[in-house]
Amino acid sequence: MGERIAVLERENAALREKLKLPPKTPDNSSIPPSHGHKPSGETASKRKGKPHAGAHRRLHPDPTRKRDVMASHCQHCGTDVSGVVQTRLEAYDRIEVPAIKAEVTRVELYGGICPCCAERFKATPPEGLEPGSPFGPNLTALVVYLRYHQAIPLARLARMMSDLLGLDISQGALVNILNRSRQAFASQARLIRAKLLSGTILQSDETSVRVGNETWWNWVFHHGDSAAFVIAPSRGKAVIEEFLGEHRPDYWVSDRLPAQLGWARKEHQVCLAHLIRDAQYAIDAGDDVFAPGLKTLLQDACAIGRRRRQLADATLRSYERKLDDKLDALVRLTPTGSEGDKLKRMVKKFRRYFFVFLTNRDVPPTNNGSEQAIRPCVIFRKVTNCFRSRWGAKLYADIRSVLETARRRGIAALEAIRLTLNLVPLPAPP
């Protein structure tokens, strides 16, 4: 009985110690901003800025039509001025959307009986108007755009087609439209993956996603002007191994998830933004010895990273030595509290991955690019409640690869979808 009481007392002490810890927020942990709670308060009124020259909408560079309006009489005395030479005094645009109506082409194929062979014959369908799906490529591109770029659920999308186009399309017909586009997007995604694997740097991140009644993981692999998404039932190394195949990049940028470590042939850069938030949590938990200095050091390192383009190689090497020396001095300190100790142990384990970006200008100091790339996936997850089928998840990953790559290459989303459906590779940026 006494032993049981001792166990309960230890558990009680551990729980009390945990209650003393501060709550984790988006500012001191990897909790997403949507899970944070903003304090209520009055909105500060802002003085209206003074109008200034040029504060108006620019004229359209290519108007649909143009109207030159000449004055017929003087507004002051009413004199006829129709014969007076006039110059342009003012120009403005009037923008309107014409009535949206679906264009429906009825194709009627005629035929008969051949007078020579007595066999039945039928007219050949015109090119682009063959039998099959009644929905053309422009409508298909619009459906893909609204569904996956604007995250509109199928029920609302069907209603939108009816309200805007006067076109009745069932949810099943919408699913069939999306299903028929799978091959085109899979082909474009393979080209994007090949472009990524031909480089020397990769960045990665992942977030959860629901497929059917299971929790899967939405991965992003990207760098430069290309990004590839993969939705898989695992958060482990097998996903990365399947994506990479035999290829291994020279540099890898990610957070400290074990599955994402060990893939670089040369060096790995961990995300300093995650480390800064971890340091902030240790500060909130009471460490006023080790964590404040570490946070300042990492913030200084990120500031140097933002100025790398203007710094010489020798200057960067000098900064790297100084940062390493400061980090050596920090790890000799004794933190205050358990969270400070935990942070120090983590720093000792991963410190060789901190300042890789200083010797390679193309390696970012943080993994913010991955989080920005994956943010639309999180929004899609919240709005549509994810996927009912595995093929739907795979299609979304391929489409997301196309849309994110197009954004980085300066291609409009709808144009990228049209190019993909026409089996045209996305052009490289100029």
Side-chain angles (χ1 to χ4, degrees), residues 118-379:
E119 295 290 338
R120 296 190 64 87
F121 64 87
K122 185 172 67 173
T124 302
E127 184 178 356
L129 296 175
E130 296 82 3
S133 172
F135 307 115
N138 285 337
L139 182 59
T140 299
L142 179 63
V143 169
V144 172
Y145 172 84
L146 293 175
R147 170 60 176 163
Y148 291 116
H149 189 59
Q150 299 297 341
I152 298 180
L154 290 174
R156 290 176 56 195
L157 183 54
R159 183 65 179 173
M160 180 181 291
M161 290 290 132
S162 175
D163 292 344
L164 292 183
L165 304 180
L167 192 61
D168 290 331
I169 304 181
S170 66
Q171 294 185 47
L174 292 173
V175 170
N176 290 335
I177 291 175
L178 300 175
N179 191 14
R180 283 190 294 271
S181 68
R182 291 166 58 185
Q183 186 175 355
F185 282 99
S187 177
Q188 192 77 274
R190 284 193 293 270
L191 296 177
I192 295 171
R193 174 180 175 271
K195 174 72 184 308
L196 279 173
L197 297 186
S198 66
T200 59
I201 302 173
L202 272 180
Q203 305 171 55
S204 65
D205 200 3
E206 86 295 324
T207 187
S208 62
V209 64
R210 295 289 290 179
V211 179
N213 295 324
E214 301 176 334
T215 298
W216 284 32
W217 297 93
N218 191 345
W219 292 77
V220 60
F221 304 94
H222 72 98
H223 186 69
D225 63 7
S226 301
F229 289 78
V230 175
I231 296 181
S234 171
R235 199 187 186 188
K237 288 179 175 291
V239 178
I240 302 178
E241 187 173 15
E242 182 179 355
F243 179 82
L244 292 178
E246 299 298 324
H247 175 75
R248 294 295 180 271
D250 292 339
Y251 299 92
W252 195 284
V253 184
S254 71
D255 54 28
R256 302 185 304 277
L257 181 71
Q260 301 188 67
L261 300 176
W263 298 103
R265 291 197 301 116
K266 293 183 178 179
E267 294 181 284
H268 190 108
Q269 172 68 54
V270 296
C271 178
L272 297 191
H274 283 75
L275 289 166
I276 291 173
R277 291 195 291 267
D278 292 340
Q280 182 61 52
Y281 183 73
I283 294 172
D284 296 343
D287 178 20
D288 56 359
V289 177
F290 175 71
L294 178 66
K295 179 182 177 181
T296 300
L297 176 68
L298 297 177
Q299 288 175 333
D300 291 343
C302 290
I304 295 171
R306 290 190 291 269
R307 296 190 294 118
R308 282 178 300 176
R309 300 297 178 187
Q310 292 78 40
L311 300 176
D313 292 342
T315 304
L316 288 175
R317 288 194 295 269
S318 175
Y319 275 131
E320 184 182 18
R321 287 193 297 269
K322 291 179 181 179
L323 291 172
D324 276 328
D325 292 341
K326 291 180 180 180
L327 191 56
D328 287 337
L330 279 174
V331 296
R332 287 194 290 268
L333 300 176
T334 302
T336 304
S338 60
E339 290 301 318
D341 290 332
K342 179 180 177 182
L343 179 65
K344 181 178 177 179
R345 290 194 299 271
M346 184 274 298
V347 169
K348 287 184 175 181
K349 181 179 180 182
F350 293 101
R351 63 166 297 170
R352 67 184 184 276
Y353 304 137
F354 281 13
F355 306 128
V356 174
F357 69 95
L358 288 174
T359 55
N360 190 315
R361 298 173 188 271
D362 293 326
V363 174
T366 70
N367 201 30
N368 290 343
S370 298
E371 296 185 354
Q372 292 168 2
I374 215 165
R375 188 171 297 142
C377 303
V378 177
I379 296 173

Side-chain angles (χ1 to χ4, degrees), residues 38-98:
K38 296 181 180 179
S40 300
E42 295 184 2
T43 303
S45 59
K46 188 176 180 181
R47 291 185 61 184
K48 184 177 180 180
K50 293 182 178 180
H52 55 85
H56 56 78
R57 182 182 180 88
R58 293 182 179 179
L59 295 177
H60 196 282
D62 186 23
T64 307
R65 56 187 176 183
K66 182 181 177 183
R67 290 189 61 181
D68 294 328
V69 182
M70 301 293 181
S72 60
H73 63 277
C74 175
Q75 293 94 337
H76 305 288
C77 64
T79 301
D80 183 4
V81 294
S82 57
V84 177
V85 176
Q86 303 181 26
T87 59
R88 189 180 72 175
L89 301 179
E90 184 180 0
Y92 55 89
D93 289 341
R94 176 59 51 85
I95 302 173
E96 183 57 276
V97 177

